[in-house]
Amino acid sequence: MNTIQSYIKQHKERFINELIELLKIPSISANSEYKNHVLKTADTLKISLEKAGCDTVEICKTAGFPIVYGEKIIDKNLPTILVYGHYDVQPPDPLNLWDSPPFEPIIKKTEIHPEGAIFARGACDDKGQMYMHVKALEFMTATNQLPCNVKFMIEGEEEIGSANLATFVKNNKEKLTNDIILISDTGMIANNIPSITTGLRGLSYVEVEVTGPNRDLHSGLYGGAVANPINILTKMIASLHDKDNHITIPGFYDKVEELSQEERTKMAKAPFSLENYKKALDIEAVYGEAGYTTNERNSIRPTLDVNGIWGGYTGEGAKTVIASKAYAKISMRLVPHQDWEEITQLFKNHFKNIAPKGVKVKVKPHHGGQAYVTPINNTGYKAASKAYQDTFGKIPVPQRSGGSIPIVALFEKELKSKTILMGFGLDSDAIHSPNEHFGIWNFLKGIETIPLFYNYFTAFSK
Ligand code: BES
Ligand code: MN
Ligand code: MN
């Protein structure tokens, strides 16, 4: 039998073991000490794509980590699907909060994943989800069922802003021509509530530095008489939200797209339990911008969050000191029509304006990207929806996500193609957190659903 179900049944142990091998390589793009591991992951992936049936696979050099590019072109007249994913992972810190080492994958059962989940950094984001596509391709080529052309573009710098991928895309438009882009790097509502991500937020990420006196001072001798950079920085940060949790940066909301009441009502129909949400996070109450629901706050509204803050003495015991400098890393999640470079500039101006005399302020932009919303009336979305209906037995719910994959907006701008976000992870899979994991059921469900997307997309494109 050559059905995807029988193929998975026969090969699933091998699929899982291959993924485990990939997860053992610590491909942390943010930390230069791991450079060789990141490069090794690209080499490993090249071999996987060759084995899965790509005709050509190249390791494309960039100014940073390489892009693994593979393709199988069966007929120029058939549609072409471009699969994008990333083989780099987030740093695993803090290590002491992991129940098992982040690069020694183990399978454990959980309440949400009774069939077991693989625990490792990158299990869900994005090695596990990216590898579903490699195995789906293997099935289609091994059984002669690939219905269209396929191109793979897997990068190693997604977690650090995809700057070199942007250049690669701009310089290789011909090579990358496609009819639809397919990505599994998002999530779904629950294993019994399939959903397709229809939106991603944009991002502006900055680092700020506040300098007071030219050296660290005795907090008794000088305390009260000079500006303490940590006191000032926290005051400045606190002032970035008003009492209703609106962001106070002038002009910040000018271009924000307000959804119609109709669209908001539709959104509110997506299954969601506030009680379970609070329980899962062990919080007594949710918190956020007045006038919006939890699901609106984390998807269609822009935000400003401190990601890290440091300065002064943080070692054991007490040290009476006024530090010379204080720092913070701040991210702003953006929504359609907000331009990330413009927002970065607005932040910079405002942050400098609110600094009192007696401190100096530096704002250093890191990276950013635009938001993206996918249409739900095009061939790609319809094909994805049909594929999920076949494998989940339910119509998937369209849902906008709060996360960001900044390169998606650039794909549309440079390659003029739409992206379909078929994510199979769950919010509880702890991506970017200690004990990240990916359900075996989800991994196999993805492999089962992807070939159906290929079939429906090809059929609907005729
Ligand atoms: N895969 C995530 C993005 C994501 C996860 C979107 C879940 C929707 C649902 C991606 O790897 C990621 O972490 N993106 C970063 C941005 C990047 C520029 C560092 C993010 O969203 O923080
Ligand atoms: Mn990702
Ligand atoms: Mn990520």
Side-chain angles (χ1 to χ4, degrees), residues 86 88-90 125-126 158-159 185 404-405 431-432 436:
H86 61 95
D88 64 324
V89 302
Q90 284 275 325
D125 183 12
D126 178 39
E158 196 277 340
E159 299 292 7
D185 193 22
S404 308
I405 310 177
I431 64 169
H432 292 209
E436 174 177 354

Short mmCIF file of all heavy atoms in Angstrom, two decimals, residues 86 88-90 125-126 158-159 185 404-405 431-432 436, ligand 3:
data_model
loop_
_atom_site.label_atom_id
_atom_site.label_comp_id
_atom_site.label_asym_id
_atom_site.label_seq_id
_atom_site.Cartn_x
_atom_site.Cartn_y
_atom_site.Cartn_z
N HIS A 86 13.59 26.93 9.31
CA HIS A 86 14.92 27.28 9.81
C HIS A 86 15.51 26.16 10.65
O HIS A 86 14.80 25.45 11.36
CB HIS A 86 14.92 28.61 10.57
CG HIS A 86 14.05 28.69 11.79
ND1 HIS A 86 14.54 28.46 13.05
CD2 HIS A 86 12.74 29.00 11.95
CE1 HIS A 86 13.56 28.64 13.94
NE2 HIS A 86 12.46 28.95 13.29
N ASP A 88 18.25 26.79 12.66
CA ASP A 88 18.87 27.33 13.88
C ASP A 88 17.86 27.31 15.02
O ASP A 88 16.65 27.22 14.79
CB ASP A 88 19.42 28.74 13.66
CG ASP A 88 18.33 29.78 13.35
OD1 ASP A 88 17.35 29.43 12.66
OD2 ASP A 88 18.46 30.92 13.81
N VAL A 89 18.38 27.38 16.23
CA VAL A 89 17.52 27.35 17.41
C VAL A 89 17.89 28.48 18.37
O VAL A 89 18.96 29.08 18.26
CB VAL A 89 17.62 26.00 18.17
CG1 VAL A 89 17.25 24.84 17.26
CG2 VAL A 89 19.02 25.79 18.77
N GLN A 90 17.00 28.75 19.31
CA GLN A 90 17.25 29.74 20.35
C GLN A 90 18.26 29.18 21.36
O GLN A 90 18.32 27.97 21.55
CB GLN A 90 15.94 30.01 21.11
CG GLN A 90 14.96 30.87 20.36
CD GLN A 90 15.24 32.35 20.56
OE1 GLN A 90 15.66 32.79 21.62
NE2 GLN A 90 15.00 33.12 19.52
N ASP A 125 10.37 24.36 17.39
CA ASP A 125 10.78 25.61 16.71
C ASP A 125 12.25 25.51 16.31
O ASP A 125 13.11 25.87 17.07
CB ASP A 125 10.54 26.78 17.66
CG ASP A 125 10.85 28.13 17.03
OD1 ASP A 125 11.05 28.19 15.81
OD2 ASP A 125 10.92 29.12 17.78
N ASP A 126 12.60 25.10 15.10
CA ASP A 126 11.65 24.72 14.07
C ASP A 126 12.09 23.38 13.45
O ASP A 126 11.57 22.96 12.44
CB ASP A 126 11.61 25.85 13.01
CG ASP A 126 10.68 25.56 11.85
OD1 ASP A 126 9.60 25.02 12.08
OD2 ASP A 126 11.08 25.85 10.71
N GLU A 158 17.15 32.47 11.39
CA GLU A 158 15.81 33.01 11.67
C GLU A 158 15.75 33.61 13.07
O GLU A 158 15.17 34.67 13.28
CB GLU A 158 14.74 31.92 11.52
CG GLU A 158 13.31 32.47 11.42
CD GLU A 158 12.65 32.80 12.74
OE1 GLU A 158 13.10 32.30 13.79
OE2 GLU A 158 11.68 33.58 12.74
N GLU A 159 16.36 32.92 14.02
CA GLU A 159 16.25 33.38 15.41
C GLU A 159 17.08 34.63 15.68
O GLU A 159 17.01 35.20 16.77
CB GLU A 159 16.65 32.25 16.38
CG GLU A 159 15.79 30.99 16.27
CD GLU A 159 14.34 31.16 16.76
OE1 GLU A 159 13.94 32.29 17.07
OE2 GLU A 159 13.62 30.16 16.80
N ASP A 185 6.02 26.78 11.00
CA ASP A 185 6.86 27.39 12.05
C ASP A 185 5.96 28.19 12.99
O ASP A 185 6.38 29.17 13.59
CB ASP A 185 7.93 28.29 11.39
CG ASP A 185 9.02 28.71 12.37
OD1 ASP A 185 9.20 28.03 13.39
OD2 ASP A 185 9.68 29.73 12.10
N SER A 404 6.22 36.37 15.31
CA SER A 404 6.74 37.04 14.12
C SER A 404 7.65 36.12 13.32
O SER A 404 8.45 35.38 13.88
CB SER A 404 7.56 38.27 14.52
OG SER A 404 6.82 39.09 15.40
N ILE A 405 7.50 36.15 12.02
CA ILE A 405 8.49 35.55 11.10
C ILE A 405 8.71 36.65 10.06
O ILE A 405 8.07 36.68 9.02
CB ILE A 405 7.99 34.24 10.45
CG1 ILE A 405 7.43 33.28 11.52
CG2 ILE A 405 9.12 33.56 9.67
CD1 ILE A 405 6.84 31.98 10.95
N ILE A 431 8.13 26.76 23.23
CA ILE A 431 9.20 27.21 22.35
C ILE A 431 9.89 28.42 22.99
O ILE A 431 9.26 29.21 23.69
CB ILE A 431 8.71 27.54 20.91
CG1 ILE A 431 7.73 28.70 20.89
CG2 ILE A 431 8.10 26.32 20.25
CD1 ILE A 431 7.43 29.20 19.47
N HIS A 432 11.17 28.53 22.82
CA HIS A 432 12.05 29.56 23.41
C HIS A 432 12.20 29.41 24.93
O HIS A 432 12.90 30.19 25.54
CB HIS A 432 11.55 30.98 23.11
CG HIS A 432 11.65 31.36 21.66
ND1 HIS A 432 11.83 32.65 21.24
CD2 HIS A 432 11.62 30.62 20.53
CE1 HIS A 432 11.87 32.69 19.91
NE2 HIS A 432 11.75 31.45 19.46
N GLU A 436 11.35 22.82 26.00
CA GLU A 436 10.65 22.83 24.71
C GLU A 436 10.40 21.39 24.27
O GLU A 436 11.24 20.50 24.47
CB GLU A 436 11.52 23.54 23.64
CG GLU A 436 10.92 23.46 22.24
CD GLU A 436 11.73 24.22 21.19
OE1 GLU A 436 12.72 24.90 21.54
OE2 GLU A 436 11.36 24.10 20.00
MN MN B 3 11.79 30.97 17.33
#
